[in-house]
Amino acid sequence: MEKAESIWMNGEFVAWDDAKVHVLSHGLHYGTGVFEGIRAYETPGGTAVFRHRDHLERLRRSAQLYYLPLPYDVEEMRAATNELIRRNGLASCYIRPLAFRGYGELGLFAKSSPIEVTIATWPWGAYLGDESKQTGIRAKVSSWRRISPDGLIPQAKASGQYLNSILAKTESANAGYDEAILLDDRGMVCEGSGENIFVVREGQILTPPHSASILDGVSRRSVMQIARDLGYAVVERDIGRAELYLAEEVFLTGTAAELVPVREIDDHALPCPGEITQVVQAKFEDALHGRAPEYSEWLDPVDEPSRVAS
Ligand SMILES: Cc1ncc(COP(=O)(O)O)c(C=O)c1O
């Protein structure tokens, strides 16, 4: 990864190479952490973070679900992130806030271990490749099921839960595919290893509902709104595995990957990039890059205080 100058760590800006933790930190042993993946884009109005508060609100909710009291509120973390981006001089970047149980005690009920909070920013291109946003990716339905609400909390973006995504991603990569698609514990389509999924059938845009163990993706919500504003019918409903193979179009959405068409699933070719995918993708890209005034409230300019002052 490409280093930046500083990382924000527990209220202070420290040099990238000095942002270190103790090996007995609780989160390292048990995955007791929650995190976010956010992006800032270069826009005509300067660098701006996409749906900044929405992501930090999700971080707050993830922490709450795992009984991790955050020592900073959303506004404090938002201000720290904007200041960090300014300090690191990044016109666009990926943003990774993380809150985890730190060093103190190692029992499972380690209430006295402090909650540490870090924010890192660095330049990072599209997760599944810039080219794939045009040409589409090849996906494989994973033999690993998405974590079930019986044992974990699919709505939370928690560190330990990502072992599930890593198993699926590793299996698909080892088999020569670009991404994994996980089914939920009932065998219904859930999502990619780090993206939500949309399936076009008979002109309607379908996406699995919250009851299918999905993560409530910020990109998913944005794309649903954009598609509806464009006049498409967007339906949240359970999707069977075979519907993936019979789809007119399939695409994935996520902060890291952005909006990526799928051109093949389990060696079934799909029309790609589909017409609806292209229309929605173009508007989504406009929203991310500040070219869609109707969605300008989604952008949080990092230099807002100085712009207001001037
Ligand atoms: C498992 C999983 N599903 C879906 C998403 C997409 O969420 P978002 O659009 O908020 O990045 C992500 C990425 O954070 C993810 O890790």
Side-chain angles (χ1 to χ4, degrees), residues 146-147 153-156 184 189-191 196-197 207-217 220 236:
R146 165 81 170 154
I147 49 167
I153 309 175
Q155 289 89 346
D184 70 9
V189 173
C190 178
E191 61 183 13
N196 292 109
I197 191 164
T207 194
H210 291 267
S211 49
S213 298
I214 62 165
L215 181 75
D216 179 8
R220 173 183 181 273
E236 291 177 89

Side-chain angles (χ1 to χ4, degrees), residues 36-37 55 58 146 157 162 165 191-196 215-220 253-256:
E36 268 306 313
H55 278 285
R58 187 172 65 186
R146 165 81 170 154
K157 198 165 165 63
Y162 276 78
S165 300
E191 61 183 13
S193 71
E195 306 86 17
N196 292 109
L215 181 75
D216 179 8
V218 174
S219 321
R220 173 183 181 273
T253 63
T255 299

Side-chain angles (χ1 to χ4, degrees), residues 53 68 97 153 181 185 208 305:
R53 286 192 180 87
L68 300 171
I153 309 175
I181 295 171
D185 56 327

Side-chain angles (χ1 to χ4, degrees), residues 95-221:
I95 304 161
R96 170 55 58 83
L98 168 71
F100 60 98
R101 270 219 190 270
Y103 170 60
E105 52 175 320
L106 262 192
L108 293 185
F109 186 57
K111 265 185 102 171
S112 73
S113 295
I115 308 295
E116 305 218 28
V117 182
T118 64
I119 305 168
T121 63
W122 68 92
W124 198 16
Y127 173 59
L128 296 171
D130 266 320
E131 205 191 303
S132 64
K133 292 206 293 184
Q134 312 307 322
T135 56
I137 59 147
R138 297 177 62 240
K140 174 178 165 43
V141 173
S142 180
S143 71
W144 297 99
R145 294 285 172 94
R146 165 81 170 154
I147 49 167
S148 112
D150 289 347
L152 285 165
I153 309 175
Q155 289 89 346
K157 198 165 165 63
S159 304
Q161 299 190 162
Y162 276 78
L163 286 173
N164 174 241
S165 300
I166 287 169
L167 283 173
K169 179 81 184 179
T170 304
E171 178 187 69
S172 69
N174 285 343
Y177 295 84
D178 303 307
E179 187 51 294
I181 295 171
L182 289 89
L183 307 179
D184 70 9
D185 56 327
R186 304 164 306 156
M188 305 312 292
V189 173
C190 178
E191 61 183 13
S193 71
E195 306 86 17
N196 292 109
I197 191 164
F198 289 84
V199 175
V200 178
R201 294 210 68 198
E202 293 170 354
Q204 285 194 328
I205 305 177
L206 313 175
T207 194
H210 291 267
S211 49
S213 298
I214 62 165
L215 181 75
D216 179 8
V218 174
S219 321
R220 173 183 181 273
R221 267 188 268 153

Side-chain angles (χ1 to χ4, degrees), residues 33-56:
V34 294
F35 68 98
E36 268 306 313
I38 315 175
R39 276 189 189 274
Y41 291 90
E42 209 169 347
T43 78
T47 300
V49 181
F50 188 70
R51 302 196 72 163
H52 202 174
R53 286 192 180 87
D54 292 323
H55 278 285
L56 293 174

